[in-house]
């Protein structure tokens, strides 16, 4: 992608005893933030001890940086941080989305709490950008089903003014917090 760059860092034995890759990543992140006034998110791959395992380390780093949606921006993500998260339970959040959409349709006050709970759970999981796309698509489908049970005027309003806004919720966001804020504002 045009907004990503990869580095291979080679440390000799003396350097390995003095500094870790995480230390280097933090120094690099800090320098970028203070000298270029940018933020970066760094995915660290597993250490590689041979040329043959560099590609696997790169894939590992790419997987780690894909979790930026959960860990946030201006940080570094390695396998230790990743291990603190749970696997995504797609079925659980699909059910929770259906429940939240039904509560919204029925004008029950707990739809906000249900959505907040969903996002709290997602932040504790290995949720990626691809998962965000699936989440938004599922939410649109649940809202579509909920709206079908309402009046013709509301159905028209949904189709004309809101459906596209919901479909594009995930565009240009970097974190789950941003998605949550947009979703709640739109709701």
């Amino acid at each position: 992608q045009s907004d990503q760059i990869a580095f291979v860092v080679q440390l000799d034995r003396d350097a390995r005893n003095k500094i870790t890759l995480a230390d280097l990543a933090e120094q690099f992140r800090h320098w970028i933030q203070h000298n270029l006034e940018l933020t970066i998110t760094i995915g660290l791959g597993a250490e590689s001890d041979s040329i043959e395992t560099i590609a696997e380390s790169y894939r590992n780093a790419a997987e780690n940086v894909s979790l930026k949606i959960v860990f946030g921006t201006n940080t570094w993500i390695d396998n230790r941080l990743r291990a603190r998260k749970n696997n995504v339970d797609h079925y659980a959040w699909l059910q929770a989305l259906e429940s939240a959409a039904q509560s919204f349709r029925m004008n029950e006050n707990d739809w906000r709490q249900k959505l907040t709970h969903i996002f709290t759970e997602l932040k504790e999981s290995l949720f990626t950008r691809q998962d965000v796309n699936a989440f938004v698509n599922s939410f649109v489908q649940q809202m579509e089903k909920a709206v079908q049970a309402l009046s013709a005027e509301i159905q028209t309003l949904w189709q004309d003014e809101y459906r596209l806004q919901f479909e594009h919720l995930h565009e240009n966001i970097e974190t789950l917090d941003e998605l949550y804020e947009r979703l709640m504002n739109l709701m």
Side-chain angles (χ1 to χ4, degrees):
Q1 293 184 358
S2 63
D3 60 349
Q4 293 183 359
I5 189 168
F7 292 98
V8 175
V9 177
Q10 181 178 356
L11 298 175
D12 61 26
R13 281 190 169 78
D14 291 336
R16 284 185 197 164
N17 294 332
K18 295 176 185 172
I19 192 165
T20 67
L21 195 53
D23 293 333
L24 283 174
E26 180 56 26
Q27 288 175 14
F28 185 64
R29 186 205 61 77
H30 181 77
W31 189 93
I32 294 287
Q33 180 181 3
H34 289 286
N35 293 293
L36 300 179
E37 298 180 7
L38 297 171
T39 61
I40 62 170
T41 302
I42 301 169
L44 298 175
E47 286 190 27
S48 171
D49 58 2
S50 69
I51 193 79
E52 292 82 14
T53 58
I54 289 175
E56 181 59 33
S57 179
Y58 171 78
R59 283 189 290 277
N60 182 225
E63 289 169 0
N64 287 341
V65 83
S66 76
L67 297 170
K68 173 172 82 170
I69 201 89
V70 173
F71 286 104
T73 59
N74 200 30
T75 191
W76 52 270
I77 306 161
D78 66 357
N79 291 336
R80 287 175 289 174
L81 278 176
R82 183 183 182 158
R84 295 180 190 168
K85 299 293 183 182
N86 304 314
N87 288 326
V88 176
D89 185 350
H90 291 89
Y91 184 70
W93 61 255
L94 283 171
Q95 285 184 312
L97 280 180
E98 181 178 15
S99 177
Q102 289 305 316
S103 290
F104 184 78
R105 179 182 69 83
M106 300 296 290
N107 202 23
E108 297 171 347
N109 291 329
D110 67 342
W111 67 265
R112 286 179 186 85
Q113 290 84 7
K114 288 179 178 182
L115 285 176
T116 300
H117 180 73
I118 293 168
F119 276 86
T120 300
E121 292 292 316
L122 292 178
K123 287 168 101 176
E124 295 303 317
S125 65
L126 296 171
F127 203 71
T128 66
R129 166 62 69 189
Q130 291 172 327
D131 293 324
V132 167
N133 297 343
F135 178 88
V136 169
N137 289 336
S138 296
F139 189 75
V140 169
Q141 289 173 355
Q142 292 303 324
M143 289 299 291
E144 184 83 26
K145 283 180 12 185
V147 167
Q148 293 304 315
L150 299 173
S151 70
E153 292 118 7
I154 292 176
Q155 290 178 36
T156 301
L157 186 64
W158 164 256
Q159 287 298 329
D160 294 346
E161 293 189 33
Y162 288 100
R163 189 171 206 282
L164 278 177
Q165 289 182 59
F166 276 95
E167 286 176 352
H168 296 287
L169 273 173
H170 63 289
E171 294 176 357
N172 302 316
I173 61 141
E174 294 192 50
T175 66
L176 278 174
D177 290 334
E178 290 175 29
L179 179 62
Y180 174 78
E181 185 178 322
R182 283 189 186 175
L183 179 62
M184 294 306 273
N185 286 338
L186 191 53
M187 292 295 286

